[in-house]
Amino acid sequence: MAEFSELIKKFDKIRTYMRDFYVYGFKSRADFTKKSARTYDNEKRRCESYLGEYMKWDYSGGNKSSFISVDCAKIPLNPLYAAWKSKSFTSNDIILHFYILDTLYKAAVTVNELTDAICAKSEITFDVQTVRNKLNEYVKSGMLVQKKQGKAFVYDIAPQNIPISPMLLDAIKLFQGAAPFGEIGSYLLDNENQANDLFAFKHYYIAHTLDSGVLYDLLSAMRQGRAVIIENQSERSGNIVNIYALPLKIFVSAATGRRYVCVYSFKRRRFTTFRLDYLRNVTPEKEIDNAEELKEKLNHHLSKVWSVSFGNSHGLEVICMKLHIDERREQYIIDRIKREGQGGELNKLTDNTFLYTKESFFSSDMTPWIKTFIGRIIGLEGTNQETIRRFYSDLERMAEMYGGNG
């Protein structure tokens, strides 16, 4: 039986578990049905080793449910970064790591010379291809450089040309919490034996670090104008669908920090969006000749996107909201609509009566904002009758719950 280890070979495994059980959460051991109970116990122990004091539990229906409980405004560092620093390794990985760096510290050498030196020092036989694979891994990560010398390639330790000054360290302390890929800043602070002692964040969406691998793949494809195959898993049904598409833009919710990718779907011939936390994998494909043309087309359409959705049709939907606003006392309401209305028209009909009109691809996304004007809304109309019906239905339900005339 394999001995338990908190280290992981692939991040996808721990990402799925931490997301399903601790972010979306409040599941118990009985809810884990895809694999054995031992797998649940091992993954739970890993999470406990990463998260420590932030792990909590509760009893519901006789089952013990674990979850993450964090006051994000009071933590100096995202505790989920620990999962990125837990990659497993073999004994050969350790041996090669130290012998490669020790040998290259003295001089740049070829892979054959390096292999001979490692075998002589360690008294272990390594084949040339094994050493070459490790060298290429380190070249890709930036630890080593490969140079042509005569007819052969030699390897050398990459120069460290970026001194980390105190001012740069302060910037890293901000970056590790306020920017995407903050785990990189966390690595740099670890290397300098530093910690974030300067910044706290009112809105710190720590769970989104679990999607950094997917985000990196998408941004790489966007820079290269390359199509991808997106493996998207529905949270409700669990069904997995592969979509061939061109990623064009990343959207970030100001309210929740949730991230979306906007893509052009070649099968559906239209723009659509996907939540990053629902994406299991992103596989790069060929470069697209008209990528720039599609980007320009998207930018033209963005003024008609209220949130992130392009709806289910190719046409625009119109919504009209008639409002009673006391012009003398509530000028701030008029200012707010102009500020938040995303290009919609606000016209005065009569004294204290206004009509707000907006075209969008999916008017249902506007409903939460529209509901903030309840008490001033005289009437709501639109081309998407389902959106209008749901709005008035919600009002009726609210009246039933709290009393009133509906």
Side-chain angles (χ1 to χ4, degrees):
M1 183 179 297
E3 185 177 352
F4 167 77
S5 171
E6 71 173 24
L7 303 177
I8 52 179
K9 187 173 183 179
K10 292 185 177 181
F11 185 77
D12 288 348
K13 184 177 182 181
I14 198 67
R15 176 198 180 214
T16 300
Y17 186 84
M18 294 181 78
R19 179 190 63 194
D20 291 349
F21 278 78
Y22 298 102
V23 179
Y24 300 152
F26 300 95
K27 293 183 179 180
S28 68
R29 197 173 191 264
D31 296 312
F32 190 78
T33 58
K34 294 180 181 179
K35 293 187 178 181
S36 67
R38 180 176 295 277
T39 299
Y40 172 89
D41 292 336
N42 287 339
E43 299 305 322
K44 180 172 179 290
R45 288 167 65 187
R46 285 192 182 95
C47 291
E48 288 174 341
S49 69
Y50 300 154
L51 300 171
E53 61 185 294
Y54 306 112
M55 288 280 293
K56 307 295 181 182
W57 56 86
D58 194 8
Y59 286 93
S60 176
N63 294 320
K64 181 179 179 181
S65 300
S66 301
F67 56 93
I68 298 172
S69 179
V70 180
D71 185 347
C72 293
K74 295 183 179 179
I75 56 174
L77 190 72
N78 186 343
L80 297 181
Y81 288 161
W84 285 103
K85 304 173 185 178
S86 304
K87 184 176 176 60
S88 63
F89 50 84
T90 66
S91 58
N92 282 348
D93 288 329
I94 294 295
I95 293 171
L96 288 174
H97 176 81
F98 287 104
Y99 278 118
I100 286 173
L101 297 181
D102 180 62
T103 304
L104 295 183
Y105 180 77
K106 301 171 183 177
V109 297
T110 66
V111 63
N112 290 320
E113 293 170 338
L114 183 60
T115 303
D116 291 341
I118 292 174
C119 292
K121 290 179 180 179
S122 67
E123 298 182 351
I124 300 174
T125 302
F126 290 96
D127 63 81
V128 174
Q129 189 58 45
T130 299
V131 178
R132 180 181 284 111
N133 290 341
K134 180 60 68 173
L135 290 172
N136 290 337
E137 177 187 334
Y138 283 6
V139 168
K140 185 177 179 180
S141 68
M143 292 176 59
L144 303 179
V145 292
Q146 184 189 61
K147 300 179 289 186
K148 190 73 177 288
Q149 194 173 87
K151 295 183 179 181
F153 285 103
V154 297
Y155 295 86
D156 199 0
I157 296 176
Q160 304 296 319
N161 295 324
I162 306 178
I164 300 182
S165 65
M167 292 183 63
L168 183 56
L169 272 175
D170 290 347
I172 293 172
K173 292 175 184 179
L174 174 64
F175 166 84
Q176 61 81 29
F181 307 113
E183 55 271 13
I184 299 174
S186 178
Y187 272 108
L188 293 174
L189 291 180
D190 288 347
N191 289 337
E192 297 295 319
N193 293 318
Q194 295 285 326
N196 171 33
D197 54 1
L198 295 178
F199 299 100
F201 304 94
K202 181 178 180 181
H203 303 293
Y204 193 8
Y205 305 110
I206 64 172
H208 299 306
T209 186
L210 300 176
D211 309 322
S212 290
V214 168
L215 177 62
Y216 177 81
D217 292 337
L218 290 169
L219 291 176
S220 298
M222 289 165 58
R223 174 173 291 185
Q224 300 167 15
R226 191 180 295 275
V228 296
I229 295 178
I230 294 174
E231 188 177 325
N232 184 65
Q233 182 173 25
S234 170
E235 177 63 18
R236 293 182 179 179
S237 65
N239 295 333
I240 298 174
V241 179
N242 291 324
I243 302 101
Y244 179 61
L246 176 68
L248 295 169
K249 199 173 188 68
I250 302 296
F251 295 143
V252 182
S253 169
T256 65
R258 184 173 292 149
R259 297 184 288 200
Y260 304 80
V261 58
C262 177
V263 306
Y264 180 80
S265 171
F266 292 102
K267 181 178 180 180
R268 302 177 66 184
R269 297 182 182 180
R270 63 189 303 270
F271 299 109
T272 188
T273 54
F274 298 95
R275 280 175 54 170
L276 261 60
D277 53 339
Y278 287 175
L279 303 187
R280 291 166 55 95
N281 191 38
V282 175
T283 305
E285 294 290 320
K286 66 178 182 179
E287 294 185 16
I288 303 301
D289 294 335
N290 64 333
E292 290 300 323
E293 179 183 337
L294 290 171
K295 288 180 183 179
E296 293 177 6
K297 186 177 180 181
L298 171 64
N299 290 331
H300 176 72
H301 286 336
L302 285 181
S303 63
K304 305 298 183 182
V305 178
W306 182 267
S307 179
V308 299
S309 178
F310 288 84
N312 297 317
S313 66
H314 292 272
L316 292 171
E317 300 174 1
V318 180
I319 198 160
C320 301
M321 176 172 58
K322 186 183 290 187
L323 296 160
H324 174 82
I325 303 174
D326 188 327
E327 298 175 66
R328 188 171 63 85
R329 299 180 179 180
E330 297 181 325
Q331 179 62 38
Y332 65 92
I333 297 295
I334 297 173
D335 294 339
R336 179 191 162 203
I337 293 173
K338 292 179 178 178
R339 184 177 65 252
E340 300 177 359
Q342 299 191 25
E345 293 185 9
L346 181 66
N347 296 311
K348 181 177 178 179
L349 301 180
T350 62
D351 289 344
N352 300 326
T353 303
F354 293 80
L355 181 66
Y356 170 81
T357 306
K358 170 68 178 175
E359 286 185 329
S360 67
F361 284 103
F362 191 52
S363 56
S364 287
D365 280 346
M366 298 178 60
T367 304
W369 182 73
I370 288 172
K371 287 179 177 178
T372 64
F373 297 99
I374 288 177
R376 295 183 173 87
I377 298 175
I378 300 172
L380 188 71
E381 298 179 355
T383 55
N384 187 330
Q385 293 303 309
E386 177 60 23
T387 299
I388 306 303
R389 185 202 63 77
R390 188 181 297 117
F391 173 79
Y392 283 109
S393 174
D394 289 346
L395 287 184
E396 292 172 0
R397 290 174 57 197
M398 192 163 59
E400 291 175 0
M401 292 174 62
Y402 299 104
N405 298 323

